[in-house]
Amino acid sequence: MKKHLRLLAAQLLAAVLVLTAFSGPAGAATSDTDPQLAAEWQAAWDTHKFYENIPPLPDSGRSRAQESISITIDAPVSRVFPAYSNINNHLGMHSFLKRVVTHKDCFQDGKRHVNFTAVEEIPYEGSIVVSNTHAQQRIDYATLSYETDTWSLPGVVTHQKIVFKKLSPGKTQVTEYLTFDADTALIDFVVAGGVSSHQATQAGLKQAIENGDI
């Protein structure tokens, strides 16, 4: 699985590096400061409007794909929901995710809004490529669910809805509904890599929650 994921990452990163040959938020062995990441987040929000869940237009050169993954965690939903929805708890669960920088955390329209950037360090041809994923998470405590929209180079957008269902007093089902938008030539790589990383994160969170580590 790890070898397959690294191959997919390498193919995707080849496209990233072509697009960012002279400048951009992804680069070999570089990491932006928190203020730089905040500025990049705002630029992505304003320019790419990644919060708009609009399917790609026909003949746009972009495609959409949808997947869902589910896992059962042996813990009550009262523990699972706050632990799983805390993006900082995802650190260490995904081999590439190294840092989460929160830009804003507030309540709006009854939901908690968290604007953040996830910084990934991905091995590529003997070096490390740093990739920044800019995101907004909206946590709905009333419905035990949250949504996350993200944007990263090369123009990859995801829309995620994560739903928590109480199966019994000590079991919780977590289902992630994932939507990927990307250039048509990259969509298969984006979906395979994205689903694999989410499955790895799910498994890591399950183990950590059940062991009482988070």
Side-chain angles (χ1 to χ4, degrees), residues 3 18 27 32 39 69-70 83 85 115 198 200 209:
K3 183 178 180 181
V18 167
D32 293 327
I69 57 175
S70 185
S85 61
N115 300 342
H198 277 259
I209 291 171

Side-chain angles (χ1 to χ4, degrees), residues 36-207:
Q36 287 174 322
L37 290 173
E40 290 174 15
W41 186 97
Q42 192 64 55
W45 180 267
D46 295 338
T47 303
H48 303 288
K49 303 183 187 302
F50 58 87
Y51 51 88
E52 293 182 345
N53 195 348
I54 301 174
L57 295 173
D59 302 322
S60 66
R62 292 176 61 80
S63 297
R64 166 169 286 194
Q66 295 177 312
E67 297 283 348
S68 65
I69 57 175
S70 185
I71 198 167
T72 298
I73 299 177
D74 293 331
V77 70
S78 59
R79 276 212 307 118
V80 173
F81 180 66
Y84 199 108
S85 61
N86 184 345
I87 186 62
N88 290 292
N89 286 336
H90 293 213
L91 286 165
M93 306 302 170
H94 176 359
S95 59
F96 298 153
L97 181 61
K98 300 302 180 183
R99 190 158 67 104
V100 173
V101 178
T102 299
H103 309 302
K104 187 176 182 180
D105 188 340
C106 66
F107 278 86
Q108 181 179 336
D109 300 324
K111 299 178 183 179
R112 181 182 175 189
H113 288 57
V114 184
N115 300 342
F116 67 91
T117 298
V119 180
E120 297 178 309
E121 296 181 2
I122 308 172
Y124 179 72
E125 294 188 350
S127 64
I128 298 295
V129 174
V130 178
S131 179
N132 302 328
T133 297
H134 305 297
Q136 182 183 80
Q137 180 189 37
R138 297 174 298 279
I139 304 173
D140 190 340
Y141 294 96
T143 63
L144 293 180
S145 67
Y146 69 85
E147 295 178 287
T148 306
D149 300 317
T150 77
W151 181 90
S152 62
L153 284 170
V156 176
V157 176
T158 75
H159 306 287
Q160 310 162 25
K161 182 166 186 177
I162 292 78
V163 178
F164 299 77
K165 181 180 180 181
K166 176 182 176 181
L167 298 180
S168 70
K171 287 185 181 292
T172 303
Q173 182 184 63
V174 183
T175 303
E176 299 193 15
Y177 299 95
L178 309 172
T179 299
F180 303 90
D181 294 344
D183 289 350
T184 300
L186 294 174
I187 191 67
D188 289 342
F189 299 133
V190 168
V191 172
V195 170
S196 293
S197 66
H198 277 259
Q199 287 174 326
T201 300
Q202 273 195 339
L205 288 168
K206 171 183 169 70
Q207 182 178 12

